[in-house]
């Protein structure tokens, strides 16, 4: 069972930045992608970003493109989400996930795909407020 542990959430003012980290703790794994979803109060969980574990290919939701950057450190088994120019609309619990498949933003927006994901972190709260 892949274990994912997120860190880095917190309170930030509009226009500020935060970096989230997600480390997995297994010796070997068959993960082909890692990424982030987020869930705001009263809303469904939505895709944010994904990175291929075997390449450097990345995909982003339109709402964060140009502001957020996903990256990885394979040696540390960690994926990062650098979030810049944050707005109150970015306030949500952010969840890291690992996937045996890899797809683009449209793929991860599919309801059945989201339901099929079974490896999640515990979530970290990001609050953007003045």
């Amino acid at each position: 069972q892949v274990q994912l542990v997120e860190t880095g959430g917190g309170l930030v003012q509009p226009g500020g930045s935060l970096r989230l980290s997600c480390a997995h703790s297994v010796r070997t794994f068959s993960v082909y992608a890692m990424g982030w979803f987020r869930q705001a109060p009263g809303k469904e969980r939505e895709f944010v970003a994904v990175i291929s574990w075997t390449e450097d290919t990345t995909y982003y939701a339109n709402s964060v493109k140009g502001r957020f950057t996903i990256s990885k450190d394979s040696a540390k088994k960690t994926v990062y989400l650098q979030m810049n120019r944050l707005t109150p609309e970015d306030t949500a619990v952010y969840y890291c996930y690992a996937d045996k498949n890899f797809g683009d933003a449209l793929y991860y927006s599919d309801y059945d795909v989201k339901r099929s994901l079974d490896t999640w972190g515990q979530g970290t709260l990001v609050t953007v407020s003045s």
Side-chain angles (χ1 to χ4, degrees), residues 45-77:
R45 192 171 296 190
E46 66 173 2
F47 168 77
V48 175
V50 65
I51 187 167
S52 166
W53 207 251
T54 58
E55 307 167 349
D56 289 327
T57 305
T58 59
Y59 295 108
Y60 298 91
N62 287 334
S63 58
V64 306
K65 203 174 292 183
R67 300 187 298 123
F68 290 11
T69 302
I70 189 170
S71 61
K72 66 188 181 191
D73 185 328
S74 299
K76 294 182 179 179
K77 298 181 179 180

Side-chain angles (χ1 to χ4, degrees), residues 47-123:
F47 168 77
V48 175
V50 65
I51 187 167
S52 166
W53 207 251
T54 58
E55 307 167 349
D56 289 327
T57 305
T58 59
Y59 295 108
Y60 298 91
N62 287 334
S63 58
V64 306
K65 203 174 292 183
R67 300 187 298 123
F68 290 11
T69 302
I70 189 170
S71 61
K72 66 188 181 191
D73 185 328
S74 299
K76 294 182 179 179
K77 298 181 179 180
T78 299
V79 64
Y80 304 97
L81 186 68
Q82 177 66 44
M83 305 184 294
N84 298 327
R85 291 184 281 143
L86 286 160
T87 74
E89 289 68 37
D90 296 314
T91 295
V93 177
Y94 285 70
Y95 295 93
C96 174
Y97 73 97
D99 192 8
K100 300 180 183 66
N101 301 298
F102 177 59
D104 60 13
L106 186 62
Y107 173 78
Y108 285 110
S109 297
D110 182 88
Y111 178 75
D112 290 331
V113 170
K114 286 192 286 186
R115 283 192 63 188
S116 72
L117 297 174
D118 58 4
T119 306
W120 296 92
Q122 80 282 5

